[in-house]
Amino acid sequence: QFSGTLDINRKDEIGQLAKSFQLMTRKLSENDRIRKEFISDVSHDFQSPLLNIKGYAELLLDDKLTEDSRKSYANVIQSETERLSSLTKQLLLLTSLDQLSSPLEKKTFDLDMQLKETVRKFRWLLEEKEMTLEMDLEEVRFTGDPAFLEKVWENLLSNALKYTEIGGAIEVVLTEQPDHVTVLIQDNGIGIDEEGLERIFDRFYRADDSRTQETGGTGLGLSIVMQVVKLHGGTINAVSRKGQGTTFTVMFPKL
Ligand code: ADP
């Protein structure tokens, strides 16, 4: 007779079934918790720029405004709008990466060329911050999704630039080993403390000092990086020292 609860300590198939149901339930409620947390983070991150836009738009309606205040209020509205737009784009990308079926469109291409092209996009920013960037790239043919991988390099490079002071230096190294490919992106910037290092790949995490620096980030860049690297069967690791710099190492197994 069925009693309503199954004994997970039973040694037979029913026991095994009960055990896997228990695991499934645990996993589901864990997913539920993560989802709720995610939604609350998203809402919070949308709320603050929206409030700023609303507030500054109201201030702009004042007839007696000086030209300077008018400009500075409009600037806030513009940068907060950009923030919302990049937040939306990154969230859409993360959601597409989260779909269970792999969205990857793999091709075989020159990884060194891709890194060079991506670095090129940052030339003007490097010049603006009077930074140097050194590249040491082996020629590597690689099979993966070029569009998503480009996002990885873009996010890592833009962080290296954002979190490094004027005059700093970045190094990009690509090497090929018999069974894997390694990309290293190193900066001599502000660095990350131990507590931060444990959380930088979490969605929406931003170290306190980078928040106050008003770098305009969303805290989603590294989550996207991690997700894309994982979908390629790779690993990413960060080594950092506060005030000295950070090194991200991405490793992909060769197929
Ligand atoms: P965002 O840059 O939009 O804040 P990310 O997910 O890309 O979000 O990074 C999360 C946090 O990790 C950043 O806010 C920053 O505190 C820290 N971080 C990432 N890359 C670096 C780096 N190269 N140097 C120092 N801190 C970094």
Side-chain angles (χ1 to χ4, degrees):
Q1 197 187 330
F2 185 61
S3 69
T5 50
L6 291 172
D7 179 8
I8 61 163
N9 295 318
R10 280 169 68 150
K11 290 277 172 283
D12 57 6
E13 282 94 344
I14 304 272
Q16 279 175 16
L17 201 63
K19 211 178 260 170
S20 46
F21 274 141
Q22 196 193 38
L23 275 176
M24 259 156 61
T25 317
R26 229 181 260 159
K27 194 118 191 99
L28 279 176
S29 52
E30 169 71 2
N31 282 347
D32 203 40
R33 188 186 60 78
I34 292 173
R35 218 191 58 229
K36 280 188 185 137
E37 217 173 85
F38 184 60
I39 291 173
S40 119
D41 284 340
V42 174
S43 318
H44 175 266
D45 268 60
F46 271 90
Q47 200 64 19
S48 73
L50 279 174
L51 279 176
N52 273 337
I53 291 171
K54 184 167 181 281
Y56 283 95
E58 274 163 18
L59 289 177
L60 272 182
L61 289 174
D62 182 352
D63 297 330
K64 298 182 284 297
L65 271 188
T66 64
E67 184 66 5
D68 278 354
S69 322
R70 198 182 56 82
K71 267 197 190 134
S72 94
Y73 297 166
N75 271 331
V76 177
I77 292 178
Q78 195 175 34
S79 71
E80 291 294 72
T81 313
E82 262 159 34
R83 199 178 141 64
L84 280 177
S85 151
S86 102
L87 201 59
T88 315
K89 273 192 213 139
Q90 299 201 69
L91 275 174
L92 286 174
L93 181 59
L94 260 183
T95 317
S96 82
L97 290 170
D98 272 349
Q99 309 296 322
L100 278 180
S101 59
S102 152
L104 296 187
E105 281 180 38
K106 288 193 178 177
K107 279 194 193 114
T108 301
F109 61 98
D110 296 321
L111 191 54
D112 48 313
M113 291 307 289
Q114 181 177 55
L115 282 163
K116 271 187 209 150
E117 301 267 309
T118 315
V119 164
R120 196 172 302 154
K121 291 192 205 159
F122 288 93
R123 280 286 166 221
W124 65 275
L125 255 177
L126 283 162
E127 265 172 42
E128 201 175 76
K129 284 192 84 172
E130 294 163 30
M131 289 176 62
T132 58
L133 188 146
E134 237 177 77
M135 275 189 277
D136 185 0
L137 311 177
E138 281 179 22
E139 282 177 18
V140 175
R141 293 286 289 167
F142 186 76
T143 304
D145 188 312
F148 281 143
L149 285 166
E150 194 181 321
K151 267 264 153 285
V152 169
W153 319 131
E154 250 177 46
N155 288 354
L156 291 176
L157 281 168
S158 89
N159 280 350
L161 265 142
K162 266 197 295 194
Y163 303 115
T164 300
E165 322 277 1
I166 290 173
I170 299 177
E171 206 184 331
V172 181
V173 183
L174 168 64
T175 51
E176 184 167 19
Q177 291 79 30
D179 55 352
H180 59 273
V181 169
T182 307
V183 180
L184 181 147
I185 296 183
Q186 183 168 47
D187 64 62
N188 63 355
I190 64 172
I192 308 161
D193 62 20
E194 240 171 83
E195 194 198 324
L197 266 181
E198 282 172 21
R199 304 190 48 203
I200 47 172
F201 294 103
D202 292 352
R203 287 171 186 193
F204 295 107
Y205 176 78
R206 308 199 70 210
D208 288 339
D209 46 5
S210 37
R211 266 198 197 278
T212 50
Q213 274 195 0
E214 294 187 7
T215 51
T218 58
L220 289 174
L222 286 178
S223 327
I224 292 170
V225 167
M226 170 68 99
Q227 201 78 334
V228 173
V229 169
K230 267 200 200 153
L231 284 172
H232 283 83
T235 56
I236 177 161
N237 124 295
V239 177
S240 187
R241 208 163 237 214
K242 198 96 188 123
Q244 301 202 357
T246 307
T247 307
F248 283 93
T249 310
V250 181
M251 270 208 214
F252 296 115
K254 280 208 298 215
L255 301 175

Coordinates of all heavy atoms in Angstrom, one line a residue, residues 38 42 45-46 49-50 80-96 151 204 217-218 220 224:
F38 N 18.2 36.5 -8.8 CA 18.6 37.2 -10.1 C 17.6 38.3 -10.4 O 17.9 39.4 -10.7 CB 18.6 36.1 -11.2 CG 19.1 36.6 -12.5 CD1 20.3 37.2 -12.7 CD2 18.2 36.5 -13.6 CE1 20.7 37.6 -13.9 CE2 18.7 36.9 -14.8 CZ 19.9 37.5 -15.0
V42 N 18.2 42.2 -10.9 CA 17.9 42.9 -12.1 C 17.0 44.1 -11.8 O 17.3 45.2 -12.3 CB 17.2 41.9 -13.1 CG1 16.7 42.7 -14.4 CG2 18.1 40.8 -13.6
D45 N 18.9 46.8 -10.3 CA 19.9 47.5 -11.2 C 19.2 48.4 -12.3 O 19.8 49.3 -12.9 CB 20.8 46.5 -11.9 CG 22.1 46.4 -11.1 OD1 22.0 46.0 -9.9 OD2 23.2 46.7 -11.6
F46 N 17.9 48.0 -12.6 CA 17.1 48.9 -13.5 C 16.5 50.1 -12.7 O 16.4 51.2 -13.3 CB 16.0 48.1 -14.1 CG 16.4 47.4 -15.4 CD1 16.9 46.1 -15.3 CD2 16.3 48.0 -16.6 CE1 17.3 45.5 -16.5 CE2 16.7 47.4 -17.8 CZ 17.2 46.1 -17.7
P49 N 19.0 53.6 -12.2 CA 19.1 54.5 -13.4 C 17.8 55.1 -13.7 O 17.7 56.3 -14.1 CB 19.7 53.7 -14.5 CG 19.7 52.3 -14.1 CD 19.5 52.2 -12.6
L50 N 16.7 54.4 -13.6 CA 15.4 54.9 -13.9 C 15.0 56.1 -13.0 O 14.5 57.1 -13.4 CB 14.3 53.8 -13.8 CG 14.2 52.9 -15.1 CD1 13.2 51.8 -14.8 CD2 13.8 53.7 -16.3
E80 N 22.9 57.5 -18.0 CA 22.0 56.5 -17.4 C 21.2 55.7 -18.4 O 21.0 54.5 -18.2 CB 21.1 57.2 -16.3 CG 21.8 57.7 -15.1 CD 22.4 56.6 -14.2 OE1 23.4 56.1 -14.7 OE2 21.9 56.3 -13.2
T81 N 20.9 56.4 -19.5 CA 20.2 55.7 -20.6 C 21.1 54.7 -21.2 O 20.7 53.5 -21.5 CB 19.7 56.7 -21.7 OG1 19.1 57.8 -21.0 CG2 18.7 56.1 -22.6
E82 N 22.4 55.1 -21.4 CA 23.3 54.1 -22.0 C 23.5 52.9 -21.1 O 23.6 51.8 -21.5 CB 24.7 54.8 -22.2 CG 24.9 55.3 -23.6 CD 25.9 56.4 -23.7 OE1 26.9 56.4 -23.0 OE2 25.7 57.3 -24.6
R83 N 23.5 53.2 -19.8 CA 23.7 52.1 -18.8 C 22.5 51.1 -18.9 O 22.7 49.9 -18.9 CB 23.7 52.8 -17.4 CG 24.2 51.9 -16.3 CD 24.2 52.7 -15.0 NE 23.9 51.8 -14.0 CZ 24.6 50.7 -13.6 NH1 25.7 50.5 -14.3 NH2 24.2 49.9 -12.7
L84 N 21.3 51.7 -19.0 CA 20.1 50.8 -19.1 C 20.2 50.0 -20.4 O 19.9 48.8 -20.5 CB 18.9 51.6 -19.2 CG 18.3 52.1 -17.8 CD1 17.1 53.0 -18.0 CD2 18.0 50.9 -16.9
S85 N 20.7 50.6 -21.5 CA 20.8 49.9 -22.8 C 21.8 48.8 -22.7 O 21.6 47.7 -23.2 CB 21.1 51.0 -23.8 OG 21.8 50.4 -24.9
S86 N 23.0 49.1 -22.1 CA 24.0 48.0 -22.1 C 23.5 46.9 -21.1 O 23.8 45.7 -21.3 CB 25.4 48.6 -21.7 OG 25.7 48.4 -20.4
L87 N 22.8 47.3 -20.0 CA 22.3 46.3 -19.1 C 21.3 45.3 -19.9 O 21.4 44.1 -19.7 CB 21.6 47.0 -18.0 CG 21.3 46.3 -16.7 CD1 22.6 45.9 -16.1 CD2 20.6 47.2 -15.7
T88 N 20.4 45.9 -20.7 CA 19.5 45.1 -21.4 C 20.2 44.2 -22.4 O 19.9 43.0 -22.5 CB 18.5 46.1 -22.2 OG1 18.1 47.1 -21.3 CG2 17.3 45.3 -22.7
K89 N 21.2 44.7 -23.1 CA 21.9 43.9 -24.1 C 22.6 42.7 -23.4 O 22.5 41.6 -23.9 CB 22.9 44.8 -24.8 CG 22.4 45.5 -26.0 CD 23.6 46.1 -26.8 CE 23.1 47.4 -27.4 NZ 24.1 48.4 -27.4
Q90 N 23.2 43.0 -22.3 CA 24.0 42.0 -21.6 C 23.0 40.9 -21.0 O 23.3 39.7 -21.0 CB 24.8 42.6 -20.5 CG 25.9 43.5 -21.0 CD 27.0 43.7 -20.0 OE1 27.8 42.8 -19.8 NE2 27.1 44.8 -19.4
L91 N 21.9 41.4 -20.5 CA 20.9 40.4 -20.0 C 20.4 39.5 -21.0 O 20.2 38.3 -20.8 CB 19.7 41.2 -19.3 CG 20.0 41.6 -17.9 CD1 18.8 42.5 -17.4 CD2 20.1 40.4 -17.0
L92 N 20.1 40.1 -22.2 CA 19.6 39.3 -23.3 C 20.6 38.2 -23.7 O 20.3 37.1 -24.0 CB 19.3 40.2 -24.5 CG 18.0 41.0 -24.4 CD1 17.8 41.9 -25.5 CD2 16.8 40.0 -24.3
L93 N 21.9 38.7 -23.7 CA 23.0 37.7 -24.1 C 23.1 36.6 -23.1 O 23.1 35.4 -23.4 CB 24.3 38.5 -24.2 CG 25.5 37.7 -24.5 CD1 25.4 37.1 -25.9 CD2 26.8 38.6 -24.5
L94 N 23.0 37.0 -21.8 CA 23.1 36.0 -20.7 C 22.0 35.0 -20.8 O 22.1 33.8 -20.7 CB 23.1 36.6 -19.4 CG 24.4 36.8 -18.6 CD1 24.1 37.4 -17.3 CD2 25.1 35.5 -18.4
T95 N 20.8 35.5 -21.1 CA 19.6 34.6 -21.2 C 19.8 33.7 -22.4 O 19.5 32.5 -22.3 CB 18.3 35.5 -21.5 OG1 18.4 36.6 -20.6 CG2 17.1 34.7 -21.2
S96 N 20.3 34.2 -23.5 CA 20.5 33.3 -24.6 C 21.5 32.2 -24.3 O 21.5 31.1 -24.8 CB 20.8 34.1 -25.9 OG 22.2 34.3 -26.0
K151 N 33.2 38.3 -27.6 CA 32.7 38.9 -26.4 C 33.6 38.7 -25.2 O 33.8 39.5 -24.4 CB 31.3 38.3 -26.1 CG 30.2 39.1 -26.7 CD 29.6 40.0 -25.7 CE 29.0 41.3 -26.2 NZ 29.7 42.4 -26.7
F204 N 26.1 40.5 -11.4 CA 25.9 41.8 -10.8 C 27.0 42.1 -9.7 O 26.9 43.2 -9.2 CB 24.5 41.9 -10.2 CG 23.5 41.9 -11.2 CD1 22.6 40.8 -11.3 CD2 23.3 42.9 -12.0 CE1 21.7 40.7 -12.3 CE2 22.3 42.9 -13.0 CZ 21.5 41.8 -13.1
G217 N 30.1 50.1 -15.1 CA 29.9 48.7 -15.5 C 28.5 48.2 -14.9 O 27.8 48.9 -14.3
T218 N 28.2 46.9 -15.3 CA 27.0 46.4 -14.9 C 27.2 45.2 -13.9 O 26.2 44.7 -13.3 CB 26.2 45.8 -16.1 OG1 27.0 44.9 -16.8 CG2 25.8 46.9 -17.0
L220 N 27.9 42.3 -15.1 CA 27.5 41.1 -15.8 C 28.6 40.6 -16.8 O 28.5 39.5 -17.3 CB 26.3 41.4 -16.7 CG 25.0 41.6 -15.9 CD1 23.8 42.1 -16.8 CD2 24.6 40.3 -15.1
I224 N 29.2 36.6 -18.3 CA 29.0 36.3 -19.7 C 30.3 35.5 -20.1 O 30.3 34.5 -20.7 CB 28.8 37.5 -20.5 CG1 27.4 38.1 -20.2 CG2 29.0 37.2 -22.0 CD1 27.2 39.5 -20.8

